[in-house]
Amino acid sequence: MRDNNGVFISGTGSYAPSKTLTNCDLARMVDTSDQWIINRTGIRERRIAGTEEKTSTMGSLASAAAIKAAGIHKDDIDLVLVATLTPDMFFPSTACLVQTQLGLRQVTSFDVGAACSGFIFALEIASNMMKNGNFRHALVIGSEKLSSILDWEDRKTCVLFGDGAGAVVLSSQDRLGYEVIDSYTASDGSQPKLLHMPGGGSACPATPESLGQGRHFLKMQGQKVFKVAVRFMEQSVRKMLDRHGLIPEDIDLFIPHQANLRIIEALARSIKAPKEKFFVNLDRWGNTSAASIPIALDEASRKNRLQSGDYVLLVAFGAGLTWGSTLLKWKY
Ligand code: ACO
């Protein structure tokens, strides 16, 4: 076991499918409009994976970019976690598929299911596994093909989501990048129907009837989800700030889950932080669930707007319900 207990994000990467679906494209498919979607969500377009693109292949491409950015060899990776609610299949895990697609050694690989908060949960699990000294470099991936579980006739949901992947290399050595300072995660399973996919699991296996009833599509009670999203994201921010004796002014960049611009603005108002401090890219991506934070982190890193010592706070909310935050400190 090693003495150094620090864990660092030493490289980031992301992958966007080439097909773009605009709000105007959607207006030709369902009864909606570009203006309604922009006003109610802030989303202008999203990426849609092709039939050959899977959650695993998108995750692998994002990971290859993160490995390159970290300046390590793929054989240095000894742990793979994939956060997703759209795995390629129930089993084997998408992480195992990524492991073989990247040609990695026979390393520990498994999936984490916490919906849109999945990346925060996976980061916490991987960080703690690394702190015991048994792992040196982990891939933590958020990858989603949400287009595969959307009802393309339901305007209340199909306009909100998109596909894509983001990944980070987590390293146990003191390296350039983000130091993972702390994580907070929590869940409340008492209202599963706020946001769920009823069919396909052991409770409701696939049958011709379940297919006909549309039970294999994502279902959401949007307004209720909106309210709890703001409440639990605020709680996640406050919890992390209180733990470290920080105030919102001390945070240089907030990277929130990219579900809806109005949720992000409500969060900024509730913690009294300027909205300019909140990274936003949902206008180009829509909600990519577990992939949204690692994609945003990759874009923020590549914009070079951070200075050594800056605090970055990741904050997410998702089905489950699940929520949480991760405090990072930028070093270079
Ligand atoms: N185009 C046009 N009209 C629409 C559309 C659409 N795409 N969707 C709904 N409407 C209509 C509704 O039918 C309704 O019409 P009515 O008043 O005649 O019945 C009207 O617009 C208002 O609908 P609301 O649902 O009240 O609209 P709201 O302002 O709440 O916005 C939205 C809906 C965008 C879904 C919002 O509630 C939201 O963002 N909720 C949170 C969603 C979220 O963040 N989910 C992700 C969670 S993370 C995870 O784990 C996946």
Side-chain angles (χ1 to χ4, degrees):
M1 194 175 286
R2 289 184 301 279
D3 294 334
N4 180 359
N5 275 338
V7 176
F8 300 82
I9 293 177
S10 55
T12 64
S14 57
Y15 173 75
S18 57
K19 183 179 170 191
T20 298
L21 187 71
T22 65
N23 292 348
C24 292
D25 294 331
L26 277 163
R28 287 189 282 275
M29 298 160 60
V30 289
D31 182 14
T32 190
S33 67
D34 182 38
Q35 214 48 56
W36 191 96
I37 302 171
I38 291 174
N39 289 346
R40 306 309 292 164
T41 72
I43 300 167
R44 291 173 183 271
E45 60 185 38
R46 69 288 292 144
R47 299 302 182 99
I48 300 294
T51 43
E52 296 306 312
E53 285 176 308
K54 301 171 207 122
T55 298
S56 64
T57 57
M58 292 189 287
S60 293
L61 287 162
S63 299
I67 290 170
K68 189 172 173 202
I72 61 168
H73 191 270
K74 66 183 172 65
D75 289 344
D76 296 327
I77 299 289
D78 44 24
L79 177 64
V80 180
L81 268 67
V82 175
T84 187
L85 57 77
T86 50
D88 284 19
M89 56 192 95
F90 270 169
F91 60 88
S93 70
T94 301
C96 284
L97 302 175
V98 167
Q99 180 245 328
T100 194
Q101 285 167 16
L102 289 173
L104 305 183
R105 294 178 297 111
Q106 294 174 339
V107 298
T108 306
S109 306
F110 61 95
D111 289 356
V112 175
C116 297
S117 313
F119 182 75
I120 300 272
F121 280 56
L123 210 51
E124 174 160 38
I125 296 165
S127 300
N128 285 315
M129 288 176 77
M130 295 182 81
K131 282 177 185 166
N132 74 12
N134 292 333
F135 301 93
R136 292 174 67 85
H137 297 284
L139 273 174
V140 183
I141 304 160
S143 185
E144 300 283 12
K145 187 172 176 177
L146 291 157
S147 60
S148 66
I149 60 163
L150 294 178
D151 178 351
W152 289 100
E153 294 180 357
D154 176 12
R155 68 177 184 174
K156 289 188 173 180
T157 51
C158 75
V159 303
L160 302 175
F161 297 93
D163 300 333
V168 303
V169 171
L170 209 54
S171 298
S172 60
Q173 299 148 342
D174 193 346
R175 292 171 69 97
L176 306 183
Y178 300 93
E179 181 173 8
V180 180
I181 306 289
D182 195 10
S183 294
Y184 160 73
T185 51
S187 315
D188 175 1
S190 64
Q191 301 179 80
K193 291 184 180 166
L194 282 186
L195 178 50
H196 74 317
M197 188 171 81
S202 57
C204 176
T207 61
E209 290 74 34
S210 73
L211 284 172
Q213 292 160 352
R215 298 176 74 80
H216 302 271
F217 294 130
L218 175 152
K219 315 273 184 202
M220 183 172 69
Q221 298 175 35
Q223 280 195 354
K224 287 185 181 162
V225 171
F226 192 105
K227 285 180 192 144
V228 283
V230 176
R231 175 152 43 96
F232 288 130
M233 294 226 295
E234 178 186 355
Q235 180 181 311
S236 302
V237 170
R238 292 201 184 283
K239 188 76 112 181
M240 189 58 72
L241 295 178
D242 289 350
R243 272 189 192 172
H244 295 271
L246 299 171
I247 55 174
E249 285 79 358
D250 294 322
I251 303 299
D252 299 285
L253 184 65
F254 292 89
I255 301 188
H257 171 47
Q258 306 285 310
N260 185 321
L261 186 59
R262 290 189 297 134
I263 292 178
I264 295 173
E265 289 173 346
L267 174 64
R269 279 195 301 276
S270 68
I271 61 166
K272 299 187 175 57
K275 63 180 185 190
E276 293 69 35
K277 278 196 174 182
F278 285 74
F279 190 87
V280 173
N281 66 1
L282 58 80
D283 51 320
R284 290 174 287 114
W285 289 87
N287 179 350
T288 56
S289 188
S292 94
I293 286 183
I295 291 171
L297 187 62
D298 184 47
E299 288 190 357
S301 305
R302 289 172 199 272
K303 282 190 188 330
N304 288 332
R305 63 182 263 189
L306 295 170
Q307 301 188 356
S308 197
D310 278 359
Y311 279 116
V312 178
L313 189 60
L314 316 179
V315 54
F317 167 84
L321 304 169
T322 57
W323 60 93
S325 55
T326 309
L327 182 64
L328 306 173
K329 195 174 207 177
W330 177 248
K331 302 178 69 174
Y332 68 90

